[in-house]
Amino acid sequence: MSITTSTSPQVGAEPSARTTGTLDPLPDVPEPPARDVRWELAAALRTFGRAGYEFGFNGHVSARAPEVPGHYWVNPFGLSISSVTPRDLVLVDDDGQVVDPRVSAAINGFAGNLRLHREIDDAAVVVHLHTPSGFAWSSLGRPLEPVTTDAALVAGLQGLTTSIWDGATSPSAVEHARAGARVILQRGHGFVTLGRSVGEAAFYLLAAERAAAANLALVGVPDKGVLPPEVVERWTLRPELARAHFENAFTLVEAEGLR
């Protein structure tokens, strides 16, 4: 298993290095604004579209539906993530079947997300898109290194599978998530991220893609720097901090008038 628990805190834990020694403590993170999960999911999808993560109809982003337990909101097939609205999201039951009354509604590739939603308490939101750097890096079959402080945000939260998510792989994505991974690097198939909120899972994807770009840029560089464990510990994202980081994206989409 490639999750680096020896150099990073357990998910949700407060590492002592954040408040002791010479490191400055992290700021308190405010509570998130009250928003409908469908609005946040649509806003995250638009943000991913703006970042260039859309590739045909590949990718699936989903969230548990708080108003209908045992159901999930999923982005629809055939609609650009750059233009999706909350009303476009499709309601799916716990068997992965569309229960939305709109006959034109359809989804794509939800099985991997559904397994995480079912098995992992923290998987309220699951994100998988075909991000350019993440897909390229995943072909190497090795974990991201903390070559920058940005990369250190997620380097200690990753789990690495040996093949595409629906192939024979051990540990599986679910097993990695049970061990604390929140960024699953699928061999040859990019990232899956999960979190307790849309903002958390979405920012893990942004951070993982940025880390992959930095790692790719430094492949083969003999004197590249890798941050020491105590610095990785300092920078590793907590769920509430990841969510707060994504608030900038939410406010931009809100200012653009998403309803």
Side-chain angles (χ1 to χ4, degrees):
M1 180 176 295
S2 62
I3 180 169
T4 53
T5 52
S6 63
T7 59
S8 65
Q10 292 293 322
V11 174
E14 184 70 21
S16 58
R18 296 184 187 278
T19 54
T20 60
T22 60
L23 297 175
D24 295 330
L26 292 174
D28 291 333
V29 178
E31 288 298 312
R35 297 190 185 102
D36 181 90
V37 69
R38 284 187 293 174
W39 186 93
E40 290 199 344
L41 205 60
L45 285 161
R46 288 190 173 213
T47 300
F48 296 146
R50 189 195 311 272
Y53 297 172
E54 184 164 45
F55 181 60
F57 54 74
N58 294 288
H60 23 275
V61 178
S62 57
R64 291 186 187 129
E67 67 274 44
V68 192
H71 290 68
Y72 312 92
W73 293 112
V74 187
N75 60 300
F77 177 88
L79 179 64
S80 174
I81 62 175
S82 297
S83 64
V84 68
T85 71
R87 291 183 299 277
D88 295 320
L89 297 174
V90 180
L91 190 63
V92 178
D93 66 18
D94 203 41
D95 292 321
Q97 300 300 310
V98 174
V99 297
D100 194 297
R102 295 169 295 172
V103 295
S104 62
I107 60 172
N108 176 56
F110 179 57
N113 285 34
L114 182 58
R115 282 196 286 271
L116 288 165
H117 283 307
R118 284 174 169 173
E119 300 292 335
I120 306 299
D121 288 343
D122 277 354
V125 180
V126 182
V127 175
H128 169 64
L129 290 170
H130 290 206
T131 61
S133 295
F135 256 67
W137 180 261
S138 72
S139 73
L140 297 177
R142 64 194 203 215
L144 296 164
E145 292 183 292
V147 293
T148 65
T149 51
D150 282 354
L153 294 174
V154 294
L157 297 176
Q158 66 184 310
L160 180 66
T161 71
T162 58
S163 65
I164 294 177
W165 63 264
D166 59 351
T169 180
S170 181
S172 67
V174 168
E175 289 168 329
H176 278 303
R178 283 187 184 136
R182 292 300 175 263
V183 175
I184 312 297
L185 184 57
Q186 304 170 117
R187 183 71 186 268
H189 201 64
F191 297 118
V192 172
T193 65
L194 61 137
R196 305 170 189 173
S197 67
V198 174
E200 180 191 354
F203 192 73
Y204 288 151
L205 185 69
L206 292 181
E209 175 67 1
R210 189 175 183 89
N215 274 258
L216 283 170
L218 294 170
V219 167
V221 176
D223 57 347
K224 70 179 179 184
V226 177
L227 300 178
E230 64 272 17
V231 177
V232 174
E233 182 181 4
R234 158 71 178 161
W235 283 86
T236 298
L237 287 168
R238 294 173 285 135
E240 65 273 18
L241 191 59
R243 188 270 308 160
H245 271 297
F246 201 74
E247 188 63 26
N248 292 0
F250 283 147
T251 57
L252 176 59
V253 176
E254 194 169 43
E256 292 172 340
L258 177 65
R259 296 291 183 268

